[in-house]
Amino acid sequence: MALLIMGSWKRQLHLWHRWLGIALGLLVLLWFGSGIVMMYVPYPSLTAQERMAWLPPIDARQVRVDAGAAWHAATWPDNARPDNAAAMPDEVRLTMVAGRPAYHFKRDGLWLSVWADSGQPLRVTPALAMDSARIAAPGAHAMTAELIDIDQWSFGSLQAHRPLYRVRADDAAGSVLYISSRSGELVRDTTRGERAWNWTGSVIHWIYFTPLRTHGQPWRQVVMWTSGAALLLAMLGMVLGIQRLRLRRRYAGGRRSPYRGWQAWHHWLGLGAGTLMMTWLFSGWLSVTPFDWLASPGVTARDRLAFAGGALSRDDLAIDVAGIVARHPGVLELEWRRVDGQLYLSALERAQRRLLDARTGAPALPGDAQVLRAVRALRPGVAVTVDLMTSEDSYHYSHHNRAVLPVLRARFAQADEATFYIDPAQGELAGYADYRSKWNRWLFNGLHQLDFAALLRVRPVWDGMVMVLCLLGGAATLAGVILGWRRISR
């Protein structure tokens, strides 16, 4: 009886492994291949370097209206205008849009813009969108613009700018550019080659197909349950692979595996790469925070407001920004930034971003005491330890993007182990970690990207290591896909 139960149990494992492999094997194989592509071609975004290269300098002669007057003139949709006597914008920026200076105000998650030369609300038309797009496609002879909400290349952090103008250019790169319908700014750029590679990279790896990805929660559920089922497939494979392995009482001919041909390849490669496949699939499953495990709030709007020492004031918006721009003719963007109640302007230039005194326009840095007060305001009444980091730690570090250094690390004596990283040169919060994000850092970044230590992140060492492991896991999966195809072909 026990033998019958044991035999039935093993058969059930074989059947589950077989049919899960037939259902998911090709997708797992594509995950390994697309992971290699994503090492070199990320999902499209407008990088800081591209903005620094493309934004035109602000023309101080055209700035005739201060930010306060422009904020008062801002046009709000659906009668949602706040009471300007009490409400102030959460963020304020000044840039050039289609050859004219414009203020950009963010309030309640929406951007609204006003011309800085006339004080009139900025209304984005197809013609203006195409003018804005020319900074990224100067070689284009013809452009077309259409208003969209979302498409294959505009997922992600663009919600505050939607709907978007999608501008197609006939330049050599085959550029498709996305312009905010609220601010008239270029917010994302793509090229023909970038889009083509992403079909074999991010789209497959993240199951980023527009009809599904448009609906955030259903997409998340699909990724969670698909990767969870693939993890079960790998676990069953390891159990069966170990169970069929004989190291002492060998099979006929002295073989350690009962299989031949593609079955033998699948057995041995599965044993060799099985642990790796399980850790990758498990960490991929964690990437969508299943059941909200390890979900961390990150740096919140409340944290930023506390560090700033309160919201922007009328006096903050009334500064002589034209005079400051005139003193710095190469400035591409000015951003209003407060630290402990004192206003600074963050000035973006071609090679750097630096803080300016909001009253005089001279370069300035927040004082040590001022920054410390701003830090303590993040968690009032909680003991905090602050130290200066000139090198990376395990939770503030470089991978594909360079981490800001030096930074102040503020560790609060709380149950959630809240830790903030502050960039003193820019007067802003540069990062956050708590016990959830710390677990996620090791279980996702560590297991999924092999990002355990700085030594492993050195390129091309990291590239070679990840590529070899992806090929090994892909080979094991390919053998299984071939076996599955043969099974269903009979």
Side-chain angles (χ1 to χ4, degrees):
M1 186 67 178
L3 291 175
L4 287 175
I5 295 174
M6 182 67 71
S8 175
W9 175 74
K10 290 180 180 179
R11 177 165 174 75
Q12 289 299 316
L13 290 186
H14 275 283
L15 289 174
W16 275 98
H17 182 66
R18 175 188 299 165
W19 291 107
L20 280 173
I22 289 172
L24 298 173
L26 181 59
L27 178 60
V28 175
L29 177 62
L30 292 173
W31 278 342
F32 280 111
S34 59
I36 294 176
V37 174
M38 290 175 64
M39 291 165 59
Y40 305 101
V41 186
Y43 188 74
S45 66
L46 181 67
T47 66
Q49 291 74 21
E50 288 171 333
R51 291 193 78 231
M52 292 168 74
W54 291 342
L55 276 175
I58 299 171
D59 186 351
R61 296 169 299 177
Q62 295 188 60
V63 180
R64 304 186 184 96
V65 177
D66 65 35
W71 168 246
H72 184 73
T75 300
W76 289 80
D78 304 325
N79 299 317
R81 172 189 287 273
D83 179 5
N84 282 288
M88 298 299 291
D90 301 319
E91 298 179 38
V92 182
R93 295 183 294 109
L94 173 67
T95 66
M96 297 293 286
V97 175
R100 296 173 62 185
Y103 292 105
H104 310 292
F105 303 102
K106 192 174 187 180
R107 173 75 187 182
D108 297 331
L110 292 177
W111 283 106
L112 296 167
S113 298
V114 176
W115 293 116
D117 54 1
S118 66
Q120 296 299 311
L122 188 157
R123 304 188 187 282
V124 183
T125 63
L128 187 145
M130 288 186 283
D131 283 344
S132 292
R134 291 191 186 281
I135 61 174
H141 300 290
M143 289 182 170
T144 59
E146 59 180 323
L147 191 64
I148 65 166
D149 185 57
I150 198 167
D151 72 356
Q152 187 65 57
W153 313 115
S154 59
F155 297 120
S157 57
L158 299 180
Q159 194 60 38
H161 294 282
R162 300 188 195 281
L164 304 170
Y165 276 99
R166 179 172 58 196
V167 178
R168 300 183 185 274
D170 67 348
D171 60 346
S175 299
V176 176
L177 308 159
Y178 296 85
I179 307 298
S180 169
S181 68
R182 298 182 178 278
S183 69
E185 298 173 287
L186 176 68
V187 292
R188 180 159 296 174
D189 67 302
T190 73
T191 63
R192 184 187 301 109
E194 190 176 37
R195 296 190 299 273
W197 277 111
N198 263 272
W199 280 111
T200 63
S202 301
V203 175
I204 290 174
H205 202 81
W206 294 335
I207 317 181
Y208 251 22
F209 298 100
T210 305
L212 177 62
R213 186 61 184 90
T214 301
H215 307 285
Q217 191 59 29
W219 166 79
R220 180 173 171 269
Q221 292 294 323
V222 166
V223 174
M224 183 173 70
W225 291 105
T226 302
S227 56
L231 173 60
L232 177 61
L233 165 67
M235 293 171 64
L236 292 174
M238 278 297 288
V239 170
L240 292 169
I242 294 172
Q243 186 266 327
R244 299 293 285 166
L245 183 66
R246 289 188 182 179
L247 300 179
R248 294 183 179 179
R249 194 163 57 91
R250 301 184 182 184
Y251 295 97
R255 291 181 294 112
R256 295 181 175 86
S257 171
Y259 304 113
R260 297 180 184 275
W262 282 108
Q263 286 183 316
W265 279 106
H266 186 56
H267 188 196
W268 289 115
L269 286 170
L271 287 172
T275 301
L276 167 74
M277 295 171 71
M278 287 190 296
T279 58
W280 267 348
L281 290 167
F282 172 69
S283 55
W285 179 67
L286 285 179
S287 68
V288 291
T289 57
F291 314 112
D292 290 328
W293 295 343
L294 306 184
S296 173
V299 178
T300 66
R302 183 177 180 179
D303 293 331
R304 297 188 191 281
L305 186 63
F307 186 81
L312 292 167
S313 68
R314 285 177 171 271
D315 290 341
D316 292 338
L317 300 190
I319 60 173
D320 179 20
V321 70
I324 293 175
V325 173
R327 290 190 55 181
H328 304 276
V331 169
L332 314 175
E333 176 186 63
L334 285 180
E335 178 182 335
W336 275 240
R337 186 170 295 172
R338 298 186 89 196
V339 179
D340 187 40
Q342 182 173 340
L343 181 67
Y344 298 88
L345 293 176
S346 176
L348 178 66
E349 300 170 334
R350 290 283 179 225
Q352 64 179 345
R353 183 182 282 276
R354 57 178 176 160
L355 284 186
L356 305 177
D357 185 284
R359 307 300 170 185
T360 66
L365 289 176
D368 293 343
Q370 180 185 1
V371 173
L372 187 57
R373 286 193 301 270
V375 167
R376 287 175 173 158
L378 292 167
R379 298 290 186 271
V382 179
V384 60
T385 302
V386 181
D387 59 303
L388 180 66
M389 283 175 42
T390 56
S391 59
E392 301 172 353
D393 68 3
S394 295
Y395 308 104
H396 182 79
Y397 60 93
S398 304
H399 187 55
H400 294 311
N401 300 312
R402 184 173 296 277
V404 175
L405 288 173
V407 294
L408 292 173
R409 177 174 56 190
R411 291 177 284 191
F412 288 89
Q414 289 182 296
D416 65 355
E417 302 175 14
T419 302
F420 289 89
Y421 297 89
I422 299 96
D423 181 357
Q426 293 299 325
E428 64 175 347
L429 300 174
Y432 172 84
D434 59 18
Y435 76 91
R436 291 185 181 89
S437 64
K438 290 174 182 178
W439 273 104
N440 193 64
R441 179 259 180 274
W442 296 113
L443 294 177
F444 176 71
N445 299 82
L447 293 178
H448 209 70
Q449 300 176 336
L450 301 185
D451 201 349
F452 290 105
L455 185 62
L456 295 179
R457 292 194 291 270
V458 175
R459 308 188 79 164
V461 174
W462 178 82
D463 300 65
M465 178 176 59
V466 173
M467 190 172 296
V468 167
L469 293 176
C470 280
L471 291 173
L472 181 62
T477 310
L478 175 62
V481 169
I482 292 172
L483 293 173
W485 174 255
R486 287 180 175 179
R487 167 67 61 174
I488 62 177
S489 297
R490 292 175 186 175

